[in-house]
Coordinates of all heavy atoms in Angstrom, one line a residue:
M1 N -102.3 -22.1 -23.7 CA -102.3 -23.2 -24.8 C -101.0 -23.8 -25.1 O -101.0 -25.0 -25.2 CB -102.8 -22.3 -26.0 CG -103.0 -23.3 -27.2 SD -103.7 -22.5 -28.7 CE -103.1 -23.6 -29.9
I2 N -99.9 -23.1 -25.1 CA -98.6 -23.7 -25.4 C -98.2 -24.5 -24.2 O -97.6 -25.5 -24.5 CB -97.6 -22.5 -25.9 CG1 -96.4 -23.2 -26.3 CG2 -97.2 -21.8 -24.5 CD1 -96.4 -23.3 -27.8
D3 N -98.6 -24.1 -23.0 CA -98.2 -24.8 -21.8 C -98.9 -26.1 -21.8 O -98.3 -27.3 -21.5 CB -98.6 -24.1 -20.5 CG -97.7 -22.9 -20.3 OD1 -96.5 -23.0 -20.8 OD2 -98.2 -22.0 -19.6
E4 N -100.0 -26.2 -22.4 CA -100.9 -27.6 -22.5 C -100.2 -28.5 -23.5 O -100.1 -29.6 -23.2 CB -102.2 -27.3 -22.9 CG -103.1 -26.6 -21.9 CD -104.5 -26.2 -22.4 OE1 -105.0 -26.7 -23.5 OE2 -105.1 -25.3 -21.8
L5 N -99.7 -27.9 -24.6 CA -99.0 -28.7 -25.6 C -97.6 -29.2 -24.8 O -97.3 -30.3 -25.1 CB -98.7 -27.9 -26.9 CG -100.0 -27.6 -27.6 CD1 -99.6 -26.7 -28.8 CD2 -100.5 -28.9 -28.2
F6 N -97.0 -28.4 -24.3 CA -95.8 -28.8 -23.6 C -96.0 -30.0 -22.7 O -95.3 -31.0 -22.6 CB -95.0 -27.8 -22.8 CG -94.2 -26.9 -23.7 CD1 -93.6 -25.7 -23.2 CD2 -94.1 -27.1 -25.1 CE1 -92.9 -24.8 -24.0 CE2 -93.2 -26.2 -25.9 CZ -92.7 -25.1 -25.4
K7 N -97.0 -29.8 -21.8 CA -97.3 -31.0 -20.8 C -97.8 -32.2 -21.6 O -97.4 -33.4 -21.2 CB -98.6 -30.4 -20.1 CG -98.1 -29.5 -18.9 CD -99.3 -29.0 -18.1 CE -99.0 -27.9 -17.2 NZ -100.2 -27.4 -16.5
K8 N -98.5 -32.1 -22.6 CA -98.9 -33.2 -23.5 C -97.8 -34.0 -24.0 O -97.8 -35.2 -24.0 CB -99.9 -32.7 -24.6 CG -100.6 -34.0 -25.3 CD -101.4 -33.4 -26.4 CE -101.9 -34.6 -27.2 NZ -103.0 -34.0 -28.3
Y9 N -96.8 -33.3 -24.7 CA -95.6 -34.1 -25.3 C -94.4 -34.2 -24.7 O -93.5 -34.6 -25.2 CB -95.5 -33.2 -26.7 CG -96.6 -33.4 -27.6 CD1 -97.6 -32.4 -27.8 CD2 -96.8 -34.7 -28.3 CE1 -98.6 -32.5 -28.6 CE2 -97.9 -34.8 -29.1 CZ -98.9 -33.8 -29.2 OH -99.9 -33.9 -30.2
K10 N -94.3 -33.6 -23.3 CA -93.1 -33.5 -22.6 C -92.5 -34.9 -22.5 O -91.2 -35.2 -22.7 CB -93.3 -33.0 -21.3 CG -92.1 -32.7 -20.5 CD -92.4 -32.0 -19.2 CE -91.2 -31.6 -18.5 NZ -91.4 -30.5 -17.5
Q11 N -93.4 -36.0 -22.1 CA -92.9 -37.3 -21.9 C -92.3 -38.0 -23.2 O -91.6 -39.0 -23.3 CB -93.8 -38.2 -21.2 CG -93.9 -37.7 -19.8 CD -94.9 -38.5 -19.0 OE1 -95.6 -39.4 -19.6 NE2 -94.9 -38.3 -17.7
K12 N -92.9 -37.6 -24.4 CA -92.7 -38.2 -25.6 C -91.4 -37.7 -26.3 O -90.8 -38.2 -27.1 CB -93.8 -37.9 -26.7 CG -95.1 -38.5 -26.3 CD -96.2 -38.2 -27.3 CE -97.3 -39.0 -27.0 NZ -98.5 -38.9 -27.9
G13 N -90.8 -36.5 -25.8 CA -89.6 -35.9 -26.3 C -89.8 -34.9 -27.4 O -91.0 -34.5 -27.6
I14 N -88.7 -34.6 -27.9 CA -88.7 -33.4 -28.9 C -87.9 -33.8 -30.1 O -86.9 -34.5 -29.9 CB -88.2 -32.2 -28.2 CG1 -88.3 -31.0 -29.2 CG2 -86.8 -32.3 -27.8 CD1 -88.2 -29.7 -28.6
L15 N -88.3 -33.4 -31.2 CA -87.5 -33.8 -32.5 C -87.1 -32.3 -33.1 O -88.0 -31.5 -33.3 CB -88.4 -34.4 -33.6 CG -87.8 -34.7 -34.8 CD1 -86.7 -35.7 -34.7 CD2 -88.9 -35.4 -35.8
I16 N -86.0 -32.1 -33.3 CA -85.3 -31.0 -33.7 C -84.9 -30.8 -35.2 O -84.1 -31.7 -35.6 CB -84.2 -30.3 -32.9 CG1 -84.7 -30.2 -31.4 CG2 -83.7 -29.1 -33.3 CD1 -83.4 -30.0 -30.3
D17 N -85.5 -30.0 -36.0 CA -85.1 -29.9 -37.4 C -83.7 -29.4 -37.5 O -83.1 -28.9 -36.6 CB -86.0 -28.8 -38.0 CG -85.8 -28.6 -39.4 OD1 -86.0 -29.4 -40.3 OD2 -85.2 -27.4 -39.8
T18 N -83.1 -29.8 -38.7 CA -81.6 -29.5 -38.8 C -81.3 -28.0 -38.8 O -80.2 -27.6 -38.3 CB -81.0 -30.3 -40.1 OG1 -81.9 -29.7 -41.2 CG2 -80.9 -31.6 -39.9
N19 N -82.2 -27.2 -39.4 CA -81.9 -25.8 -39.3 C -82.0 -25.2 -37.8 O -81.1 -24.4 -37.6 CB -82.9 -25.1 -40.2 CG -82.6 -25.2 -41.8 OD1 -81.4 -25.4 -42.0 ND2 -83.5 -25.1 -42.5
I20 N -82.9 -25.7 -37.1 CA -83.1 -25.3 -35.8 C -81.7 -25.8 -35.0 O -81.2 -25.1 -34.1 CB -84.3 -25.7 -35.2 CG1 -85.6 -25.3 -35.9 CG2 -84.4 -25.3 -33.7 CD1 -85.6 -23.7 -36.0
L21 N -81.4 -27.0 -35.2 CA -80.3 -27.6 -34.5 C -79.0 -26.8 -34.8 O -78.2 -26.5 -34.0 CB -80.1 -29.0 -34.9 CG -79.0 -29.9 -34.3 CD1 -79.3 -30.0 -32.8 CD2 -78.9 -31.3 -34.9
L22 N -78.9 -26.3 -36.1 CA -77.8 -25.5 -36.5 C -77.9 -24.1 -35.7 O -76.7 -23.6 -35.3 CB -77.8 -25.2 -38.0 CG -76.6 -24.7 -38.6 CD1 -75.3 -25.5 -38.3 CD2 -76.7 -24.5 -40.2
L23 N -79.1 -23.6 -35.6 CA -79.3 -22.4 -34.9 C -78.8 -22.6 -33.4 O -78.1 -21.7 -32.8 CB -80.6 -21.9 -34.8 CG -81.0 -21.0 -33.8 CD1 -80.4 -19.6 -34.2 CD2 -82.6 -20.7 -33.8
W24 N -79.0 -23.8 -32.9 CA -78.5 -24.1 -31.6 C -77.0 -24.2 -31.4 O -76.4 -23.5 -30.6 CB -79.1 -25.4 -31.1 CG -79.0 -25.8 -29.7 CD1 -78.2 -25.1 -28.7 CD2 -79.3 -27.0 -29.1 NE1 -78.3 -25.8 -27.6 CE2 -79.0 -27.0 -27.7 CE3 -80.1 -28.1 -29.5 CZ2 -79.2 -28.0 -26.8 CZ3 -80.3 -29.2 -28.6 CH2 -79.8 -29.1 -27.3
F25 N -76.4 -24.7 -32.4 CA -74.9 -24.8 -32.4 C -74.3 -23.5 -32.6 O -73.3 -23.1 -31.8 CB -74.5 -25.8 -33.5 CG -74.8 -27.3 -33.3 CD1 -75.0 -28.1 -34.3 CD2 -74.6 -27.8 -32.0 CE1 -75.3 -29.4 -34.1 CE2 -75.0 -29.2 -31.7 CZ -75.3 -30.0 -32.9
V26 N -74.8 -22.7 -33.5 CA -74.0 -21.3 -33.8 C -74.3 -20.6 -32.7 O -73.4 -19.9 -32.2 CB -74.7 -20.8 -35.1 CG1 -74.3 -19.4 -35.3 CG2 -74.3 -21.7 -36.4
G27 N -75.6 -20.5 -32.1 CA -75.9 -19.7 -30.9 C -75.0 -20.0 -29.8 O -74.6 -19.3 -28.8
S28 N -74.8 -21.3 -29.6 CA -73.9 -21.8 -28.5 C -72.5 -21.3 -28.6 O -71.8 -21.1 -27.6 CB -73.9 -23.3 -28.4 OG -75.2 -23.8 -28.2
V29 N -71.9 -21.2 -29.7 CA -70.6 -20.7 -29.9 C -70.5 -19.3 -29.8 O -69.7 -18.7 -29.1 CB -70.1 -21.3 -31.4 CG1 -68.8 -20.5 -31.7 CG2 -70.0 -22.7 -31.4
N30 N -71.4 -18.6 -30.5 CA -71.5 -17.1 -30.5 C -72.7 -16.6 -30.9 O -73.1 -16.6 -32.2 CB -70.2 -16.7 -31.3 CG -70.1 -15.0 -31.3 OD1 -70.9 -14.4 -30.9 ND2 -69.0 -14.6 -31.8
R31 N -73.6 -16.1 -30.1 CA -74.9 -15.6 -30.3 C -74.8 -14.4 -31.5 O -75.9 -14.3 -32.2 CB -75.6 -15.2 -29.2 CG -75.9 -16.2 -28.2 CD -76.6 -15.6 -27.1 NE -76.7 -16.8 -26.2 CZ -76.7 -16.8 -24.8 NH1 -76.8 -15.4 -24.3 NH2 -76.8 -17.9 -24.1
N32 N -73.8 -13.7 -31.5 CA -73.7 -12.5 -32.5 C -73.4 -13.1 -34.0 O -73.7 -12.3 -34.9 CB -72.5 -11.7 -32.2 CG -72.6 -11.0 -30.8 OD1 -73.9 -10.6 -30.6 ND2 -71.7 -10.7 -30.1
K33 N -73.1 -14.3 -34.1 CA -72.8 -14.9 -35.4 C -74.1 -15.5 -36.0 O -74.1 -15.8 -37.2 CB -71.8 -16.0 -35.3 CG -70.3 -15.6 -34.9 CD -69.6 -15.0 -35.9 CE -68.2 -14.8 -35.6 NZ -67.4 -14.2 -36.5
I34 N -75.1 -15.6 -35.3 CA -76.3 -16.1 -35.8 C -76.9 -15.5 -37.0 O -77.3 -16.0 -38.1 CB -77.5 -16.1 -34.6 CG1 -77.1 -17.1 -33.6 CG2 -78.9 -16.5 -35.3 CD1 -78.1 -17.0 -32.3
S35 N -77.1 -14.1 -37.0 CA -77.5 -13.3 -38.2 C -76.5 -13.3 -39.3 O -76.9 -12.9 -40.4 CB -77.8 -12.0 -37.7 OG -79.0 -12.0 -36.7
R36 N -75.2 -13.6 -39.1 CA -74.3 -13.5 -40.1 C -73.9 -14.9 -40.7 O -73.3 -14.8 -41.8 CB -72.9 -13.0 -39.3 CG -72.9 -11.5 -38.9 CD -71.8 -11.0 -38.3 NE -72.0 -9.9 -37.5 CZ -71.4 -9.5 -36.4 NH1 -70.4 -10.5 -35.9 NH2 -71.7 -8.6 -35.7
F37 N -74.2 -15.9 -40.1 CA -73.9 -17.4 -40.6 C -74.9 -17.6 -41.9 O -76.1 -17.3 -41.7 CB -74.0 -18.3 -39.5 CG -73.5 -19.6 -40.0 CD1 -72.2 -19.9 -40.3 CD2 -74.4 -20.7 -40.1 CE1 -71.7 -21.2 -40.7 CE2 -73.9 -21.9 -40.4 CZ -72.6 -22.2 -40.7
N38 N -74.5 -18.0 -42.8 CA -75.2 -18.2 -44.1 C -76.5 -19.1 -43.8 O -77.6 -18.6 -44.3 CB -74.5 -19.0 -45.1 CG -75.2 -19.0 -46.4 OD1 -76.0 -18.2 -46.8 ND2 -74.8 -20.0 -47.2
R39 N -76.5 -20.2 -43.1 CA -77.5 -20.9 -42.9 C -78.6 -20.6 -41.8 O -79.6 -21.0 -41.7 CB -77.2 -22.4 -42.5 CG -76.4 -23.2 -43.7 CD -77.2 -23.6 -44.9 NE -78.4 -24.5 -44.4 CZ -78.2 -25.8 -44.6 NH1 -77.3 -26.4 -44.9 NH2 -79.3 -26.5 -44.1
T40 N -78.1 -19.5 -40.9 CA -79.0 -19.1 -39.8 C -79.1 -17.6 -40.0 O -79.7 -17.0 -39.0 CB -78.3 -19.3 -38.5 OG1 -77.0 -18.7 -38.4 CG2 -78.1 -20.9 -38.2
E41 N -78.9 -17.0 -41.1 CA -79.1 -15.4 -41.3 C -80.5 -15.2 -41.1 O -80.8 -14.0 -40.7 CB -78.5 -15.1 -42.5 CG -79.2 -15.5 -43.8 CD -78.5 -15.1 -45.1 OE1 -77.5 -14.5 -44.9 OE2 -79.0 -15.6 -46.2
K42 N -81.5 -16.0 -41.2 CA -82.9 -15.6 -41.1 C -83.4 -15.5 -39.6 O -84.5 -15.1 -39.3 CB -83.8 -16.5 -41.8 CG -83.7 -18.0 -41.5 CD -84.6 -18.8 -42.3 CE -84.4 -20.4 -42.0 NZ -85.2 -21.1 -43.0
F43 N -82.5 -16.0 -38.7 CA -82.9 -16.0 -37.3 C -82.0 -14.9 -36.5 O -81.1 -14.3 -37.1 CB -82.3 -17.3 -36.5 CG -83.0 -18.5 -37.2 CD1 -82.3 -19.3 -37.9 CD2 -84.2 -18.8 -36.8 CE1 -82.9 -20.5 -38.4 CE2 -84.9 -20.0 -37.3 CZ -84.2 -20.9 -38.1
I44 N -82.6 -14.4 -35.4 CA -81.9 -13.4 -34.6 C -81.6 -14.1 -33.3 O -82.0 -15.1 -32.9 CB -83.0 -12.2 -34.3 CG1 -84.1 -12.7 -33.8 CG2 -83.2 -11.6 -35.7 CD1 -85.3 -11.6 -33.5
P45 N -80.7 -13.4 -32.5 CA -80.4 -14.0 -31.2 C -81.5 -14.2 -30.2 O -81.5 -15.2 -29.5 CB -79.5 -12.9 -30.5 CG -78.8 -12.2 -31.8 CD -80.1 -12.2 -32.7
E46 N -82.6 -13.6 -30.5 CA -83.8 -13.9 -29.5 C -84.5 -15.2 -29.9 O -85.1 -15.8 -29.1 CB -84.8 -12.6 -29.6 CG -84.4 -11.4 -29.1 CD -83.4 -10.7 -29.8 OE1 -83.1 -10.9 -31.0 OE2 -82.9 -9.6 -29.2
D47 N -84.3 -15.7 -31.2 CA -84.7 -16.9 -31.6 C -84.0 -17.9 -30.8 O -84.6 -19.0 -30.5 CB -84.6 -17.1 -33.1 CG -85.6 -16.3 -33.8 OD1 -86.7 -15.8 -33.3 OD2 -85.1 -15.8 -35.0
Y48 N -82.7 -17.8 -30.7 CA -81.9 -18.8 -30.0 C -82.3 -18.8 -28.5 O -82.4 -19.9 -28.0 CB -80.3 -18.3 -30.0 CG -79.4 -19.1 -29.1 CD1 -79.1 -20.4 -29.5 CD2 -79.0 -18.6 -28.0 CE1 -78.4 -21.1 -28.6 CE2 -78.1 -19.3 -27.2 CZ -77.9 -20.6 -27.5 OH -77.0 -21.4 -26.7
E49 N -82.5 -17.7 -27.9 CA -83.0 -17.8 -26.5 C -84.4 -18.5 -26.4 O -84.5 -19.1 -25.5 CB -83.3 -16.3 -26.1 CG -82.0 -15.6 -26.0 CD -80.9 -15.9 -25.0 OE1 -81.3 -16.6 -24.0 OE2 -79.7 -15.7 -25.3
L50 N -85.3 -18.2 -27.3 CA -86.6 -19.1 -27.4 C -86.2 -20.5 -27.5 O -86.9 -21.4 -26.9 CB -87.5 -18.5 -28.4 CG -88.8 -19.1 -28.5 CD1 -89.7 -19.0 -27.1 CD2 -89.6 -18.5 -29.6
L51 N -85.4 -20.8 -28.4 CA -85.0 -22.3 -28.6 C -84.6 -22.9 -27.4 O -85.0 -24.0 -27.0 CB -84.0 -22.3 -29.7 CG -83.5 -23.7 -29.9 CD1 -84.5 -24.7 -30.4 CD2 -82.3 -23.6 -31.0
I52 N -83.7 -22.2 -26.7 CA -83.1 -22.8 -25.4 C -84.2 -23.0 -24.5 O -84.4 -24.0 -23.7 CB -82.0 -21.9 -24.8 CG1 -80.7 -21.8 -25.8 CG2 -81.6 -22.3 -23.5 CD1 -80.2 -23.2 -26.0
L53 N -85.1 -22.0 -24.2 CA -86.2 -22.1 -23.2 C -87.0 -23.3 -23.5 O -87.7 -24.0 -22.7 CB -86.9 -20.9 -23.1 CG -86.3 -19.7 -22.5 CD1 -87.1 -18.4 -22.7 CD2 -85.9 -20.0 -21.1
T54 N -87.4 -23.4 -24.9 CA -88.2 -24.6 -25.4 C -87.5 -25.9 -25.1 O -88.2 -26.9 -24.6 CB -88.5 -24.4 -26.8 OG1 -89.1 -23.2 -27.1 CG2 -89.4 -25.5 -27.4
V55 N -86.3 -26.0 -25.5 CA -85.6 -27.3 -25.3 C -85.4 -27.8 -23.9 O -85.7 -29.0 -23.4 CB -84.2 -27.3 -26.0 CG1 -83.4 -28.5 -25.7 CG2 -84.3 -27.1 -27.6
I56 N -85.2 -26.8 -22.9 CA -85.1 -27.2 -21.6 C -86.4 -27.7 -21.0 O -86.4 -28.3 -19.9 CB -84.4 -26.1 -20.7 CG1 -85.2 -24.8 -20.7 CG2 -83.0 -25.9 -21.2 CD1 -84.6 -23.8 -19.7
S57 N -87.5 -27.2 -21.6 CA -88.8 -27.6 -21.2 C -89.0 -29.2 -21.3 O -89.9 -29.7 -20.7 CB -89.9 -26.8 -21.8 OG -89.8 -25.5 -21.5
F58 N -88.2 -29.7 -22.2 CA -88.4 -31.1 -22.6 C -87.2 -31.9 -21.9 O -87.3 -33.0 -21.7 CB -88.4 -31.3 -24.2 CG -89.6 -31.0 -24.6 CD1 -89.9 -29.6 -25.1 CD2 -90.6 -31.8 -24.9 CE1 -91.1 -29.3 -25.8 CE2 -92.0 -31.5 -25.4 CZ -92.0 -30.1 -26.0

């Protein structure tokens, strides 16, 4: 099901929410800081990995 959605919207691009974008930035600098940084404390390093996999699909 998720693969079908990726195929459907792949050519249209992706819009990233600012909190998710901040997760991307913090994770790119130091994945261990994700759970410690105030705005990304609700995320875990595995969320960053999933985000990267999703973004490179587009």
